[in-house]
Amino acid sequence: MCGITGWVSYDPAHPVTAATADAMTHTMACRGPDAHGLWLDGTAALGHRRLAVIDPDGGGQPMTYDHGGRTVLALTYSGEVFNFRELRAELEGHGHVFRTQSDTEVVLHAYLQWGEGFTERLNGMYAFALWDPRTEELLLVRDRMGIKPLYYFPLPGGVLFGSEPKAILAHPAVRPAVDAEGLAELVAFTKTPGHAVYKGMYELPPGHTLRVRRNGTLLRRYWALEAREHTDDLDTTVARVRELLEDIIARQMVADVPLGTLLSGGLDSSVITALGARQRAAEGGAPVQSFALDFARHAENFTADDWRGTRDSPYADLLARHAGTDHRVVTLPPSALLDPAAREAVMRARDLPFDLGDGDTSLYLLFKAVREQCTVALSGESADEVFGGYRWFHHPDSVAADTFPWLAPPFGTGISGPGSGPGEALLDRGLLEKIDLQGYRAQRYRDALAEVPRLPGETGLERRMREIGHLHLTRFVQWMLDRKDRASMAVGLEVRVPFCDHRLVEYVFNTPWAMKTFDGREKSLLRAATRDVLPPEIADRVKAPYPTTRDPYYLDGLRAALKRVTEGPDSPVRPLLDGPSLAAATADDPRPGYRTGTELVLALDFWLRTHEVSLEF
């Protein structure tokens, strides 16, 4: 997968230096534990940390194309292009000669052949930077769905970029500052494309390129979801979904290193695992390795409720037996989830505080265990956004609400009231008013609606569900993909997300809502397209969210940690908190509803202490 970074300076008073570029590259070591590379000329520096997946021996980076004794093009690249074999054959037909078997070299030659238009030909998950020494221009590229991250920071006379903010923050010209808008973005749960929270920093939006020249920059969108009339009948639609899934899985099972699947026992991960197992069997290979998460004493602490009716483990075991996988369960005790080293690793990986708490820590620990056996893992992430799996897709109040549906009652009602997120429960009410959190959410929602493509004459529920689908595919999914990327790359694990293949996303986005729910359930198309490879118990299982521990030991540990970080005059997070709410959350008999807010406060405290963030509002 890899980590990339770089620095372009057209200012002779501030030339690029190897020492600084190397320090930026070093911050990406977790993303690329296998190799380190640095390339410089007088104006640009490209850094690379490699996680070797395709052509381990020949795919070193940064990679250059040289002609006539000089470098024509240099590339630092993160990700995978899943159609690289077809592109390679096409390029060879144009006379290109390859010296490696890597997809990296295919990207390099594709740009040489087709210029910036080559982006339309790529199928995959990627973020990369191309430097052309002839024109002294930098091109930054990010995949259509934003699976792989890429940040940049304009400087007078140049630009910095990196896979994660930490690479940019390692440059001496950058200091971590957050203004009122940045803090609002951090806690609003809206995930604005292009917004990086840190002042002066940007995230390259999905499906975009950024060209950097001496006279400025040009941001260009090369892909966006479009509204197209769906003319296939139901049977044809179901068959097309299955056809796409089989092709996607076949492409994404290609790796020159051990590969497995993440298996929760839910519909999405079970589909990926079952189809992956069939693909492996057709190739005559060893059984697919599958990995599931569970918590110690989870069975005795679990109580079914409206949000989660069943435990995952029995269903994961069932699918593993059905598909014939080599299955392993990673069981975590509450002490592991509270381990300061694990929580610190997660927060350092994120570069920003988020409020999923043990949901993030358990994911990191799961990936750490997977990495002991595999370098690549396939995930069912994003099926809910593509096929309409979340409960708020199907709740009339959420659908009708004039806000993001995941923030609408009954799902988005925190202690602060309707339309609030649970993460803000402990934040000072005056602070929330100062940064105008509700106004910020409202504006981001209006901006998001303005981007939705429409079909002529589309009205009523179909029009609204197109809006809700678009909100998830351009906002909510970004939050989920970021989380998975940081947790996996923190341990050098490449996680692939087949449901984010842009061909599948485009097709299902334009399928009418009535067809997506033709049997009155969530993800009807996905169930119909894959029922034959699943046990009936899994094909008919009700959607359950990512698991969190319910162990009282963990909850007591959270409360103790909250008391610890908010005591004393030197607490950096204490001025941001609401006194009465903090007292209620740390009481011996705490009021319910503060768990997520506590997780956010703990992350904020760590972030403020370790990143030395300046709050400018």
Side-chain angles (χ1 to χ4, degrees), residues 295 298 308 337 356 358-359 362 545-551 595:
F295 301 110
H298 193 47
R308 172 177 287 277
L337 299 173
L356 279 188
D358 74 296
S362 65
Y546 182 86
T548 58
T549 182
R550 304 184 183 191
D551 196 310
R595 174 173 176 169

Side-chain angles (χ1 to χ4, degrees), residues 436-448:
D436 189 19
L437 182 60
Q438 293 302 333
Y440 184 83
R441 281 189 175 122
Q443 184 58 54
R444 296 288 78 81
Y445 176 67
R446 290 192 292 270
D447 293 344

Side-chain angles (χ1 to χ4, degrees), residues 296-367:
R297 302 194 302 273
H298 193 47
E300 62 190 77
N301 290 312
F302 179 83
T303 302
D305 56 28
D306 290 341
W307 192 245
R308 172 177 287 277
T310 53
R311 293 172 52 233
D312 283 341
S313 289
Y315 293 91
D317 292 342
L318 174 63
L319 191 283
R321 293 194 303 271
H322 180 83
T325 69
D326 179 6
H327 190 56
R328 177 184 173 189
V329 179
V330 178
T331 303
L332 302 176
S335 57
L337 299 173
L338 290 167
D339 179 17
R343 295 177 67 88
E344 178 176 331
V346 172
M347 289 186 276
R348 288 194 183 279
R350 296 296 293 260
D351 280 326
L352 290 168
F354 287 88
D355 56 12
L356 279 188
D358 74 296
D360 277 348
T361 308
S362 65
L363 193 66
Y364 165 80
L365 293 172
L366 170 64
F367 288 162

Side-chain angles (χ1 to χ4, degrees), residues 255-504:
D256 295 328
V257 292
L259 177 148
T261 68
L262 306 174
L263 176 60
S264 70
L267 176 66
D268 313 335
S269 64
S270 295
V271 165
I272 297 301
T273 301
L275 291 178
R278 283 165 61 104
Q279 175 67 28
R280 181 65 60 80
E283 296 169 350
V288 166
Q289 296 184 76
S290 58
F291 300 86
L293 170 69
D294 200 3
F295 301 110
R297 302 194 302 273
H298 193 47
E300 62 190 77
N301 290 312
F302 179 83
T303 302
D305 56 28
D306 290 341
W307 192 245
R308 172 177 287 277
T310 53
R311 293 172 52 233
D312 283 341
S313 289
Y315 293 91
D317 292 342
L318 174 63
L319 191 283
R321 293 194 303 271
H322 180 83
T325 69
D326 179 6
H327 190 56
R328 177 184 173 189
V329 179
V330 178
T331 303
L332 302 176
S335 57
L337 299 173
L338 290 167
D339 179 17
R343 295 177 67 88
E344 178 176 331
V346 172
M347 289 186 276
R348 288 194 183 279
R350 296 296 293 260
D351 280 326
L352 290 168
F354 287 88
D355 56 12
L356 279 188
D358 74 296
D360 277 348
T361 308
S362 65
L363 193 66
Y364 165 80
L365 293 172
L366 170 64
F367 288 162
K368 188 176 181 180
V370 173
R371 184 62 175 89
E372 295 174 0
Q373 306 294 324
C374 296
T375 306
V376 177
L378 271 62
S379 166
E381 192 74 81
S382 307
D384 288 309
E385 290 84 355
V386 174
F387 289 96
Y390 295 116
R391 291 180 62 190
W392 46 77
F393 272 90
H394 309 273
H395 196 287
D397 292 343
S398 298
V399 169
D402 188 26
T403 187
F404 296 101
W406 54 88
L407 292 174
F411 305 103
T413 303
I415 288 177
S416 302
S420 65
E424 68 205 58
L426 293 174
L427 297 183
D428 179 71
R429 302 299 178 262
L431 173 65
L432 297 179
E433 291 178 5
K434 186 175 183 179
I435 65 175
D436 189 19
L437 182 60
Q438 293 302 333
Y440 184 83
R441 281 189 175 122
Q443 184 58 54
R444 296 288 78 81
Y445 176 67
R446 290 192 292 270
D447 293 344
L449 281 187
E451 297 175 11
V452 179
R454 316 282 185 180
L455 278 180
E458 195 171 50
T459 60
L461 182 61
E462 287 292 342
R463 176 184 175 90
R464 179 54 177 164
M465 296 315 296
R466 182 181 293 278
E467 292 176 346
I468 288 178
H470 197 269
L471 293 174
H472 281 80
L473 292 170
T474 59
R475 267 67 176 178
F476 195 87
V477 78
Q478 291 301 305
W479 188 72
M480 302 301 289
L481 291 172
D482 281 354
R483 171 178 175 256
K484 189 144 284 184
D485 173 85
R486 302 306 191 279
S488 61
M489 295 310 297
V491 297
L493 176 71
E494 175 179 301
V495 172
R496 298 177 178 176
V497 281
F499 288 114
C500 274
D501 185 290
H502 71 277
R503 298 168 300 161
L504 179 68

Side-chain angles (χ1 to χ4, degrees), residues 165-328:
K166 59 174 60 69
I168 294 170
L169 295 173
H171 193 282
V174 181
R175 62 185 184 88
V178 175
D179 58 16
E181 182 179 300
L183 185 61
E185 175 68 21
L186 181 65
V187 300
F189 202 15
T190 56
K191 190 54 182 175
T192 306
H195 207 302
V197 177
Y198 289 107
K199 190 176 179 180
M201 189 184 297
Y202 302 90
E203 187 173 19
L204 186 64
H208 279 70
T209 65
L210 180 74
R211 186 169 289 277
V212 181
R213 304 184 177 100
R214 283 186 176 272
N215 61 352
T217 61
L218 177 63
L219 184 66
R220 181 182 76 90
R221 172 172 248 164
Y222 70 87
W223 180 84
L225 284 168
E226 298 177 355
R228 301 169 185 164
E229 185 179 1
H230 186 83
T231 57
D232 292 342
D233 63 18
L234 178 59
D235 289 343
T236 304
T237 300
V238 170
R240 178 56 178 160
V241 169
R242 176 60 172 267
E243 178 185 23
L244 283 168
L245 285 172
E246 290 183 341
D247 180 73
I248 293 163
I249 295 297
R251 292 176 185 274
Q252 298 201 17
M253 291 287 288
V254 174
D256 295 328
V257 292
L259 177 148
T261 68
L262 306 174
L263 176 60
S264 70
L267 176 66
D268 313 335
S269 64
S270 295
V271 165
I272 297 301
T273 301
L275 291 178
R278 283 165 61 104
Q279 175 67 28
R280 181 65 60 80
E283 296 169 350
V288 166
Q289 296 184 76
S290 58
F291 300 86
L293 170 69
D294 200 3
F295 301 110
R297 302 194 302 273
H298 193 47
E300 62 190 77
N301 290 312
F302 179 83
T303 302
D305 56 28
D306 290 341
W307 192 245
R308 172 177 287 277
T310 53
R311 293 172 52 233
D312 283 341
S313 289
Y315 293 91
D317 292 342
L318 174 63
L319 191 283
R321 293 194 303 271
H322 180 83
T325 69
D326 179 6
H327 190 56
R328 177 184 173 189

Side-chain angles (χ1 to χ4, degrees), residues 540-560:
D540 293 321
R541 189 185 179 199
V542 175
K543 161 70 182 175
Y546 182 86
T548 58
T549 182
R550 304 184 183 191
D551 196 310
Y553 180 89
Y554 178 78
L555 301 179
D556 290 343
L558 274 187
R559 190 167 71 255

